[in-house]
Amino acid sequence: MYIKVDSVALLNDYNQIWMECWLEKGYGLENDKIPADRYIITDTQNHKVGSIEFKPYSLDITNNINKVYPFYKIESLKNNPNSVVEVDKVAILKQYRGKNLERLLTVFINYAESHNINYCVALLERVFYKALKNVYKIPIKAVGEKIYYKGDYVIPTIVNPREVYQNREKYSWLLD
């Protein structure tokens, strides 16, 4: 279902996936040097189909995501910043979209559970935001108006994965 990026070869595969998806959408590329946990999503045939990145969240106002939207002002994040991560580089290659989103979301929830994450901050593309909220029923909250960022409008969002992993039976899309 996933491969942890732990080598230069896997980092190249990971970068190829998210960059291809971002270029397809017309997004600006960014390649930070911030330490992060990166994963490649694999399908049932072990094709490398997607990517997701988890970065430690910082309340520092110079943190890139806080420059786009002031997440650092939100009380629930200020109370326990060590239980917050930033989710980035979420991508699935065009030819593999559909069922593989459930695989990606399962990796997200499993990561959050294994790292005792309460909240995730993200800048979500509008259609993706609506799918998470309305189709997958993931507890997410838009904390600001849409913002134009790197080629598209994004919604500053807080996700509550704890609600999902503590109530797995409510989320039939979660995979074993």
Side-chain angles (χ1 to χ4, degrees):
M1 184 178 318
Y2 68 90
I3 302 166
K4 182 164 178 36
V5 175
D6 61 2
S7 69
V8 173
L10 287 173
L11 182 60
N12 288 338
D13 290 342
Y14 167 87
N15 285 334
Q16 183 179 350
I17 291 167
W18 74 262
M19 286 179 175
E20 181 177 326
C21 292
W22 284 26
L23 289 171
E24 169 202 336
K25 298 281 189 179
Y27 300 162
L29 300 179
E30 63 181 26
N31 220 344
D32 5 286
K33 304 293 183 217
I34 296 170
D37 289 329
R38 296 173 180 92
Y39 294 88
I40 296 170
I41 310 307
T42 57
D43 68 5
T44 54
Q45 288 80 42
N46 279 334
H47 295 123
K48 296 172 182 164
V49 302
S51 64
I52 190 167
E53 176 178 77
F54 303 96
K55 297 187 244 184
Y57 175 69
S58 168
L59 293 169
D60 187 337
I61 61 172
T62 64
N63 181 7
N64 188 53
I65 199 166
N66 289 331
K67 290 180 189 176
V68 179
Y69 182 82
F71 286 99
Y72 63 90
K73 292 182 178 179
I74 297 171
E75 236 14 79
S76 57
L77 305 181
K78 291 194 309 191
N79 290 340
N80 193 356
N82 293 332
S83 70
V84 181
V85 293
E86 178 183 344
V87 178
D88 201 2
K89 309 287 189 304
V90 176
I92 298 176
L93 294 168
K94 189 173 187 173
Q95 64 270 33
Y96 296 107
R97 291 188 188 138
K99 242 351 189 178
N100 287 303
L101 181 54
E102 293 176 359
R103 298 174 81 75
L104 186 143
L105 293 174
T106 298
V107 170
F108 163 66
I109 296 302
N110 289 345
Y111 179 91
E113 183 174 28
S114 68
H115 290 83
N116 201 27
I117 301 301
N118 293 336
Y119 300 106
C120 301
V121 295
L123 301 170
L124 298 180
E125 184 270 332
R126 294 170 295 169
V127 173
F128 187 50
Y129 174 89
K130 288 177 185 175
L132 295 180
K133 186 173 184 77
N134 300 327
V135 176
Y136 292 93
K137 307 293 186 203
I138 292 178
I140 62 175
K141 180 181 178 186
V143 292
E145 296 297 316
K146 66 182 180 181
I147 299 166
Y148 192 77
Y149 179 67
K150 294 192 185 250
D152 198 1
Y153 285 96
V154 293
I155 299 172
T157 305
I158 296 179
V159 184
N160 181 347
R162 179 180 291 275
E163 178 66 27
V164 178
Y165 64 73
Q166 288 184 337
N167 298 287
R168 287 180 170 273
E169 68 284 353
K170 292 182 183 177
Y171 301 92
S172 60
W173 50 262
L174 274 169
L175 305 173
D176 293 331

